[in-house]
Amino acid sequence: MKRLRLLILGGTSEASALARRLADEAGVAPILSLAGATANPAPAPIQQRIGGFGGAEGLASYLEAERIDALIDATHPFAARMSMNALAAARATQTPLVVFSRLPWAPQEGDRWIEVATMDDAAEALGSERKTVFLTQGRTQLAAFAKAPQHRYVVRAIDRPAGIDALPECKLILARGPFVLADELKLMRDERVETLVTKNSGGSATYAKIEAARTLGVGVVMVRRPKPPEAETLHDLDDVMAWIARVL
């Protein structure tokens, strides 16, 4: 019996959950692809490749060379370039594509959000008065906050971020989610966090920091998501499994 060769563009909890579901699917031969941005990625129960493809053309060549039957874009909602490349490669090779993405967060009663478009806007939104800022936007784009050196920064990332030395007063916390509410409350209290900066990643794995900020009255500078790709998008794992069954 021919097995469906399925390429998953991963790096998210959604991709990991999908990999676990597919590990015992007899009719599917899945490959989980990671960009390599994280030094020590979590182990996967399916075949895994690490590294880029060389843009849309490189991905299209890979799809053809490896005879990939279907493509799932389960990258981070802010990985806009990779999603654009996936869409272009899928169209060029006529490979079925679906986007598996978490829903964005929405402000709730008690939240104190300032929504901005870019990380530079986020740094500017912190204002001129010194405060302790909890940065959880990932290991990139710290240079934006070097332009606001008056603040004390608490930076959390999986790996040591490039450019962190440009922040004159900074505490680095290396940790991998998911994070629970009690721990987020303790961290924000211990560090006396006054403002949280985050991307609107959505999902549950890191939502506890939003709940903690709400509980403590901490302001949140929320960076909006980029425009999503013009492709079919699903938010539920069961729906993705049903899509795979239809492709089969």
Side-chain angles (χ1 to χ4, degrees):
M1 180 182 70
K2 182 183 182 298
R3 301 175 73 196
L4 179 80
R5 290 185 59 77
L6 176 68
L7 179 64
I8 304 165
L9 305 178
T12 60
S13 57
E14 287 74 22
S16 298
L18 178 58
R20 290 192 294 270
R21 281 283 291 270
L22 290 171
D24 298 320
E25 288 288 328
V28 182
I31 303 169
L32 177 63
S33 178
L34 303 177
T38 301
N40 296 297
I46 62 174
Q47 181 181 341
Q48 185 171 288
R49 70 172 298 279
I50 296 178
F53 293 95
E57 291 185 1
L59 177 55
S61 296
Y62 180 91
L63 295 177
E64 291 180 332
E66 296 297 323
R67 298 181 180 179
I68 300 298
D69 298 305
L71 177 62
I72 296 179
D73 176 7
T75 58
H76 194 276
F78 280 79
R81 184 178 295 277
M82 186 67 245
S83 291
M84 288 173 58
N85 290 343
L87 180 60
R91 287 175 173 173
T93 59
Q94 297 186 323
T95 302
L97 165 70
V98 73
V99 177
F100 181 22
S101 179
R102 62 193 79 162
L103 287 167
W105 297 318
Q108 307 294 319
E109 184 177 352
D111 284 333
R112 298 172 51 217
W113 287 16
I114 298 174
E115 294 191 72
V116 297
T118 68
M119 210 57 67
D120 286 328
D121 293 340
E124 186 175 345
L126 295 176
S128 58
E129 184 178 343
R130 175 182 167 85
K131 56 178 65 73
T132 295
V133 181
F134 186 20
L135 298 180
T136 66
Q137 85 286 355
R139 59 191 297 270
T140 62
Q141 299 178 293
L142 284 182
F145 300 96
K147 301 172 186 175
Q150 68 272 27
H151 304 299
R152 172 181 177 263
Y153 294 102
V154 178
V155 178
R156 184 169 67 195
I158 296 174
D159 300 316
R160 182 177 177 84
I164 193 169
D165 293 334
L167 301 180
E169 189 175 355
C170 174
K171 177 176 181 178
L172 175 62
I173 299 173
L174 296 179
R176 186 193 301 270
F179 304 102
V180 299
L181 178 59
D183 290 340
E184 298 291 56
L185 286 168
K186 183 177 186 305
L187 186 154
M188 290 190 192
R189 286 184 177 126
D190 288 350
E191 298 296 336
R192 299 183 178 180
V193 170
E194 296 165 90
T195 302
L196 166 68
V197 176
T198 186
K199 296 175 179 176
N200 195 335
S201 301
S204 60
T206 61
Y207 187 68
K209 64 188 175 186
I210 307 299
E211 294 180 290
R214 183 187 308 134
T215 300
L216 299 175
V218 169
V220 177
V221 178
M222 183 70 70
V223 182
R224 291 189 292 268
R225 289 186 180 187
K227 184 180 179 181
E230 296 178 356
E232 180 181 1
T233 300
L234 301 173
H235 303 291
D236 182 82
L237 180 55
D238 289 336
D239 291 340
V240 176
M241 293 299 295
W243 181 88
I244 294 171
R246 290 197 299 273
V247 175
L248 275 170

